[in-house]
Amino acid sequence: MKVLVCISNVPDTTTKITFTDNNTQFNTNGVQFILNPYDEIALARAIELTEGDGGTVTVINVGDTGTEATIRKALAIGATDAVRINAKPHDAWYVAYQIAQYVKTNPFDLILTGRESIDYNGSKVAGMLGELLDLPSVSIIKKLDIEGDKATVEREIEGGKELLTIPLPFVAGAAEGVAEPKIPNMRGIMSARTKPLVVVEPVEVKTNSEIISYETPAPRGQVKLVAADEAAKLIELLHTEAKVI
């Protein structure tokens, strides 16, 4: 089985976010970038599904040369090979379109993404890939098992769980529970240096969105603590200060 895992290069969650050029550009100075955690989950499950059957796991990223350290980490975790589409990821549509064009000439049995990237939290790429490739797509899956040419997928829905049977190939966005992220060992780190990393030039496509400016959330205000036995005081503050009741 051939599995493709789409990975993102995202800022570490401890990063202090700032902007430049009148708040129109993300300031990358001093920022530590990591492999998107949800993509790590997808990668871990892909590796588990292909272990022992001679299958392969390819990771693909849309990004410039600055993303190659993240790609090499994915190879160290256990991916077989990697593809980097040499372009800045303008938005989810652009990323999905570039990956779809690659897949059209390099088909896979299964395409996995993370449920979302932790920088923009859009959850769009899996659905767009399915549409562009004319394949079934399922977002935010919690469990994935494959038997023969069919997969069983579990999703959480309001009030319960949804079980789906899907024929291969298809696209899925993996969430927590699909697999435990794997930590690269020394052997994996050493082998990652020699695993194939193919660089592909992007396909020309019109972008559908433009970032006008960024802004950070408003700073948190002061907090007033009210004792548990002073319900009347809490109600008064909600009326007079918070004005939410």
Side-chain angles (χ1 to χ4, degrees):
M1 183 169 64
K2 293 178 62 179
V3 183
L4 180 70
V5 181
C6 309
I7 63 173
S8 301
N9 187 54
V10 298
D12 188 280
T13 52
T14 60
T15 298
K16 183 178 180 180
I17 301 299
T18 60
F19 306 108
T20 60
D21 297 339
N22 197 29
N23 291 335
T24 61
Q25 298 293 326
F26 173 61
N27 185 8
T28 59
N29 290 335
V31 175
Q32 175 67 41
F33 284 88
I34 61 171
L35 174 59
N36 182 46
Y38 292 114
D39 300 342
E40 283 197 70
I41 293 171
L43 176 58
R45 188 59 184 140
I47 293 168
E48 292 171 353
L49 289 170
T50 56
E51 283 177 337
D53 71 351
T56 60
V57 177
T58 300
V59 291
I60 189 167
N61 169 256
V62 179
D64 57 21
T65 56
T67 69
E68 290 196 3
T70 295
I71 295 172
R72 289 293 177 190
K73 180 181 178 182
L75 292 171
I77 289 172
T80 311
D81 57 3
V83 176
R84 178 174 67 82
I85 299 176
N86 189 31
K88 182 179 179 181
H90 300 294
D91 55 22
W93 159 255
Y94 185 86
V95 170
Y97 191 90
Q98 298 299 329
I99 295 173
Q101 298 314 300
Y102 178 81
V103 173
K104 285 178 181 179
T105 55
N106 300 272
F108 291 84
D109 301 305
L110 174 64
I111 301 172
L112 296 178
T113 74
R115 62 173 291 175
E116 61 188 0
S117 61
I118 63 170
D119 48 3
Y120 288 97
N121 304 104
S123 300
K124 298 175 183 177
V125 172
M128 289 180 174
L129 275 175
E131 182 68 19
L132 289 166
L133 295 169
D134 195 25
L135 294 175
S137 66
V138 187
S139 294
I140 315 182
I141 65 170
K142 293 285 190 175
K143 188 176 181 181
L144 169 62
D145 293 304
I146 294 178
E147 185 173 346
D149 60 355
K150 292 184 179 180
T152 301
V153 171
E154 181 180 298
R155 301 175 67 237
E156 287 186 356
I157 58 174
E158 186 175 352
K161 296 179 180 180
E162 181 180 49
L163 293 176
L164 301 172
T165 300
I166 309 171
L168 300 177
F170 69 97
V171 185
E176 313 91 316
V178 170
E180 288 295 323
K182 298 181 182 295
I183 299 173
N185 54 32
M186 185 55 66
R187 181 179 179 182
I189 294 170
M190 296 299 291
S191 66
R193 299 177 182 179
T194 58
K195 287 182 178 179
L197 169 54
V198 176
V199 178
V200 177
E201 291 305 312
V203 177
E204 186 174 348
V205 58
K206 181 181 178 181
T207 56
N208 292 328
S209 65
E210 179 184 0
I211 295 174
I212 303 301
S213 66
Y214 293 96
E215 61 182 42
T216 55
R220 293 183 179 180
Q222 292 184 338
V223 175
K224 286 188 176 181
L225 298 178
V226 179
D229 58 353
E230 296 182 347
K233 183 178 179 180
L234 173 62
I235 294 171
E236 179 186 357
L237 290 172
L238 292 173
H239 272 294
T240 60
E241 293 193 16
K243 297 181 179 179
V244 294
I245 61 173

